[in-house]
Amino acid sequence: MHYIHPLSTYQIESLRHQSTRLLSMRLSRAEPTLRQEVVEYVLDVGSQLWSLRRGKANASRLMGFSQGLLAAWEWFDRIRRWKNPKLTISVFILYVFVIFYPQMIIPSVLLVIFGTGIMNFRSRPRNPPHMDIKLSQADTAHPNDLEEEFDTLPSSKHGQILTARYDRLRSMGGRIVMLIGDLATQLERIQSLLSWRDPRATSMFLMFCLVAAVVIFMLPPKHLLLFSGVFVMRHPRFRIDIPALPQNFFRRLPAKADSLL
């Protein structure tokens, strides 16, 4: 039934608060007694409440996960810009080998993953995980942030303190609104490729799709991938500093941002 008729978010929160209250009443009569704050902390009752410290901690966790992807992109960008010509030529030769022998792609990737796991065996965690103060941003949290985190709901503060907190939330919310607006603009630009809002852009995109379909149909996939690899890893002497044509074309596509009040 949990999969066929799952509980809503409000039902889960209601059950969590009910179980917290029942456990607190039972454990308060035990020997030794356990305070209600401890039960709420163990059951993570306040996970849905606002906490600037927890938001910073989650952002650092996300950045820590994305550092590997950023490092891989920087490594490929150095190869693409011929920072190390020997490494670039070696990677291009490996790319050509993979194109003409595609059956080696999946086994090679699996072997690389296996080798990476074996190399990480020496640096494996030796101790069980514990509370990490640095990960939780508790050692660098401002006293005002901690005071706001431990405040009750509704707030027990009044006057200038609530005004300062509200202004800070407005500034953070403004940045989030700008981020959502930028994402919506990019998605609307993709949608406008076929909406004929800009007839010239739509006609150019349709002609590109037609020519690309004919070229992909006529050329073998190996030759197409080989040409794409040569174009991406071409020498900086054959590059230009201005943005690429597809990027410039995409930036000029219409969006609904100009129609907002």
Side-chain angles (χ1 to χ4, degrees):
M1 297 301 295
H2 289 292
Y3 295 99
I4 300 176
H5 300 288
L7 298 175
S8 63
T9 305
Y10 299 101
Q11 291 175 336
I12 293 175
E13 292 298 329
S14 177
L15 290 176
R16 179 178 296 176
H17 286 286
Q18 293 177 21
S19 61
T20 303
R21 186 173 65 253
L22 293 175
L23 286 175
S24 300
M25 294 173 57
R26 183 177 181 87
L27 294 176
S28 63
R29 297 191 298 266
E31 289 294 339
T33 60
L34 200 62
R35 294 178 61 88
Q36 182 179 358
E37 293 82 0
V38 179
V39 179
E40 292 179 353
Y41 176 78
V42 172
L43 296 181
D44 203 8
V45 175
S47 60
Q48 77 281 1
L49 299 179
W50 165 254
S51 175
L52 183 61
R53 176 194 59 81
R54 189 174 296 175
K56 292 180 180 179
N58 290 332
S60 64
R61 291 169 56 197
L62 184 61
M63 292 302 296
F65 176 78
S66 59
Q67 282 180 355
L69 300 178
L70 294 176
W73 170 251
E74 292 177 356
W75 176 77
F76 178 74
D77 189 67
R78 289 195 300 268
I79 292 175
R80 189 172 63 92
R81 296 184 180 276
W82 289 70
K83 299 295 183 180
N84 188 353
K86 295 181 181 180
L87 181 60
T88 302
I89 294 174
S90 302
V91 171
F92 183 74
I93 294 175
L94 180 62
Y95 177 76
V96 174
F97 177 78
V98 168
I99 289 177
F100 288 95
Y101 297 95
Q103 65 272 14
M104 298 297 296
I105 296 177
I106 297 179
S108 300
V109 172
L110 295 178
L111 286 177
V112 169
I113 295 175
F114 176 78
T116 304
I118 294 298
M119 293 178 60
N120 292 335
F121 179 76
R122 292 184 177 180
S123 60
R124 67 189 185 277
R126 304 285 183 172
N127 301 318
H130 298 283
M131 291 296 174
D132 194 344
I133 297 178
K134 294 184 178 180
L135 178 63
S136 304
Q137 302 286 331
D139 56 340
T140 58
H142 196 271
N144 294 333
D145 299 337
L146 296 178
E147 185 180 2
E148 181 182 6
E149 182 178 351
F150 294 122
D151 195 6
T152 57
L153 186 67
S155 178
S156 59
K157 304 297 181 180
H158 302 282
Q160 191 66 25
I161 298 178
L162 287 182
T163 303
R165 292 178 182 176
Y166 177 68
D167 292 338
R168 184 175 62 180
L169 284 177
R170 288 182 63 188
S171 62
M172 294 179 182
R175 290 194 292 267
I176 295 175
V177 168
M178 290 181 59
L179 180 61
I180 296 176
D182 293 339
L183 179 60
T185 299
Q186 305 304 326
L187 296 177
E188 288 172 355
R189 286 174 178 172
I190 297 175
Q191 188 180 10
S192 64
L193 289 172
L194 298 176
S195 64
W196 291 94
R197 185 177 179 182
D198 189 345
R200 290 179 297 178
T202 303
S203 59
M204 292 172 61
F205 178 71
L206 294 180
M207 290 301 299
F208 169 77
C209 291
L210 180 61
V211 174
V214 174
V215 171
I216 293 175
F217 179 77
M218 298 296 294
L219 290 179
K222 294 181 179 180
H223 296 170
L224 186 62
L225 292 175
L226 181 61
F227 175 76
S228 301
V230 172
F231 180 78
V232 170
M233 290 188 286
R234 66 189 184 276
H235 198 272
R237 185 180 302 175
F238 304 102
R239 299 177 186 272
I240 54 178
D241 295 333
I242 62 176
L245 180 61
Q247 184 179 1
N248 192 9
F249 176 78
F250 183 76
R251 288 179 178 178
R252 296 173 182 270
L253 290 175
K256 297 180 181 179
D258 298 333
S259 303
L260 292 176
L261 292 176

